[in-house]
Amino acid sequence: MSMWHDPDKWYDFDRFQSIRRRMWLFTRLITFRRAGNFLKNLFEFRLRRLQMSSFPPKLIVDTTNFCNLQCPLCATGAGLTKQRFGYMKYDMFKSVFNQVKDKVLFVNLFNWGEPFLSPHIFRIIDDVTKCGAISHVHSNFSLKKAGLVEKIAESNLASLVLSVDGASAEAYQAYRKRGDWDLVTDNIRRFVARRRELGKTFPEIIWKFIVHKHNEHELAKAETVARSLGVDKIQFTPIWADLTPGVSDKPGKDRWAEEWLPVERAEFRFDSRKEPLFETACPFLWTNPVINVDGTVSPCCFVADTKFAFGDLKKNSFAEIWNNDNYRHSRSLFSNEPYKGP
């Protein structure tokens, strides 16, 4: 269901262990209801249906939009998020999740903030796991709270993706402003040691390296460092050019490109000055809604302003929002099916 060719490069340090993980997750994840919903959703996406009888198989739940870093191309880091800052209340999560938990396959517990700053994150992870769905968290891992890393290793989290863009302090801190390279690498060592003590293979730990002009020379070194730390996989991915908060004019975009786009590693050069940015329909409208910390629903993970929300779960059920005028009209922009409504 991808809307473009995946430019990411993955290196799996233990393929046999990865296959075992996937098989174990598959056996606990798949139920007749989930499988039926997934196939129906796939069918409806292929046909670009406006009215959905299936629920999304994926869900993004923003557990908090607070962050301890100030990454310059993130709306949160740049101070341009038009949302009220806070944590998703546990009762809000429970209310939302109970409406979809028998059909959802994957739950990403992050969007605009650092998830482990949420006081409810471990209760939320447990709820996702108990229902049989797979929980994912992205973290900057530049975290100082005593015992937190060990608690993450002891948790029921399925996948932990670490945003670590460099193999040295200088390259890493070019983008991860206020991040601490030594703290991050020490936290990874402690996590791996604690997981090993427990005899666990979960959470799977993935080093996500965003490739840009200031770190493109360190890809081989990063792979070596990741192996030495005991990371399970490393993912090299382009710096997303449409994460250019507040920049709409061409001179601003040109300055952005000069500052961040890779020069030597052209395969990771993803440029937002290309129009249209993508050629096909955005699958988020059919497969992957975003629940903000305040219970509003956004059409995709790049929407940082709640005035563009498609609905509010404090006022309507998820089923009502999923097929409301906002969703049906937006889907019609990519469909031959006629839309009748405001």
Side-chain angles (χ1 to χ4, degrees):
M1 281 196 259
S2 177
M3 60 179 166
W4 62 87
H5 174 69
D6 187 359
D8 294 4
K9 293 186 183 300
W10 292 79
Y11 295 90
D12 192 333
F13 300 138
D14 188 340
R15 287 191 176 181
F16 178 70
Q17 187 66 270
S18 291
I19 291 170
R20 289 181 58 193
R21 285 192 187 98
R22 286 196 294 268
M23 290 178 62
W24 186 85
L25 289 172
F26 182 82
T27 57
R28 64 181 294 273
L29 175 72
I30 295 300
T31 62
F32 285 115
R33 183 168 289 186
R34 284 200 179 98
N37 181 73
F38 173 77
L39 292 173
K40 185 184 291 186
N41 183 269
L42 180 62
F43 177 75
E44 291 181 325
F45 172 61
R46 298 288 186 198
L47 294 181
R48 305 292 192 262
R49 288 280 173 82
L50 309 192
Q51 182 80 19
M52 303 289 287
S53 61
S54 64
F55 268 27
K58 302 177 184 178
L59 195 67
I60 293 176
V61 178
D62 202 4
T63 50
T64 179
N65 52 16
F66 284 118
C67 191
N68 52 324
L69 303 192
Q70 292 182 338
C71 306
L73 303 185
C74 168
T76 302
L80 297 172
T81 303
K82 297 295 192 296
Q83 296 181 2
R84 179 175 294 178
F85 283 94
Y87 311 103
M88 177 174 284
K89 295 179 180 178
Y90 177 71
D91 289 344
M92 169 63 72
F93 168 79
K94 195 77 173 175
S95 172
V96 173
F97 192 60
N98 283 344
Q99 298 178 52
V100 300
K101 67 179 182 181
D102 60 337
K103 295 176 182 175
V104 70
L105 294 169
F106 306 99
V107 184
N108 293 344
L109 298 171
F110 62 92
N111 197 31
W112 288 115
E114 167 52 54
F116 292 113
L117 297 180
S118 167
H120 311 301
I121 186 63
F122 292 106
R123 290 180 73 187
I124 291 172
I125 290 170
D126 284 344
D127 284 354
V128 174
T129 304
K130 285 175 185 175
C131 90
I134 296 175
S135 55
H136 298 278
V137 162
H138 279 212
S139 172
N140 59 57
F141 231 43
S142 188
L143 303 166
K144 295 182 179 180
K145 185 177 179 181
L148 178 60
V149 168
E150 289 75 15
K151 191 171 182 180
I152 297 169
E154 295 160 7
S155 74
N156 291 315
L157 184 66
S159 176
L160 174 63
V161 180
L162 305 181
S163 300
V164 187
D165 317 310
S168 66
E170 182 181 11
Y172 165 76
Q173 290 168 343
Y175 183 72
R176 299 292 165 182
K177 305 297 185 184
R178 297 177 63 183
D180 186 327
W181 165 256
D182 292 327
L183 175 63
V184 170
T185 52
D186 183 60
N187 282 345
I188 294 172
R189 289 189 191 94
R190 288 167 48 211
F191 173 91
V192 171
R194 181 56 180 153
R195 192 181 66 173
R196 188 179 297 121
E197 285 176 10
L198 296 169
K200 295 177 62 182
T201 59
F202 291 99
E204 180 180 44
I205 185 169
I206 301 165
W207 180 328
K208 184 174 183 178
F209 186 114
I210 298 176
V211 181
H212 54 70
K213 185 176 180 178
H214 305 285
N215 65 15
E216 61 180 326
H217 61 288
E218 291 197 342
L219 272 64
K221 183 180 177 182
E223 185 180 347
T224 300
V225 173
R227 285 180 184 272
S228 70
L229 291 173
V231 169
D232 299 311
K233 297 177 183 176
I234 190 167
Q235 173 190 6
F236 296 108
T237 189
I239 192 159
W240 274 64
D242 48 345
L243 298 187
T244 323
V247 176
S248 58
D249 61 296
K250 187 178 186 300
K253 288 190 175 184
D254 289 344
R255 285 193 300 272
W256 179 94
E258 175 65 25
E259 173 67 17
W260 293 105
L261 288 182
V263 177
E264 301 297 328
R265 302 303 296 258
E267 69 270 33
F268 295 106
R269 192 176 173 89
F270 184 87
D271 194 340
S272 69
R273 292 171 297 179
K274 168 198 167 189
E275 292 181 357
L277 198 58
F278 301 117
E279 299 288 350
T280 57
C282 175
F284 274 76
L285 294 170
W286 287 267
T287 68
N288 198 355
V290 178
I291 314 301
N292 298 310
V293 292
D294 61 356
T296 55
V297 179
S298 292
C300 94
C301 60
F302 289 121
V303 177
D305 191 335
T306 50
K307 77 177 182 181
F308 298 119
F310 276 20
D312 188 341
L313 287 160
K314 296 186 296 294
K315 300 176 182 177
N316 300 99
S317 70
F318 180 81
E320 290 170 334
I321 294 171
W322 188 230
N323 280 307
N324 68 11
D325 288 317
N326 289 324
Y327 263 109
R328 289 186 295 109
H329 176 259
S330 296
R331 292 171 187 145
S332 76
L333 302 176
F334 305 96
S335 173
N336 291 323
E337 185 179 338
Y339 167 73
K340 297 177 182 179

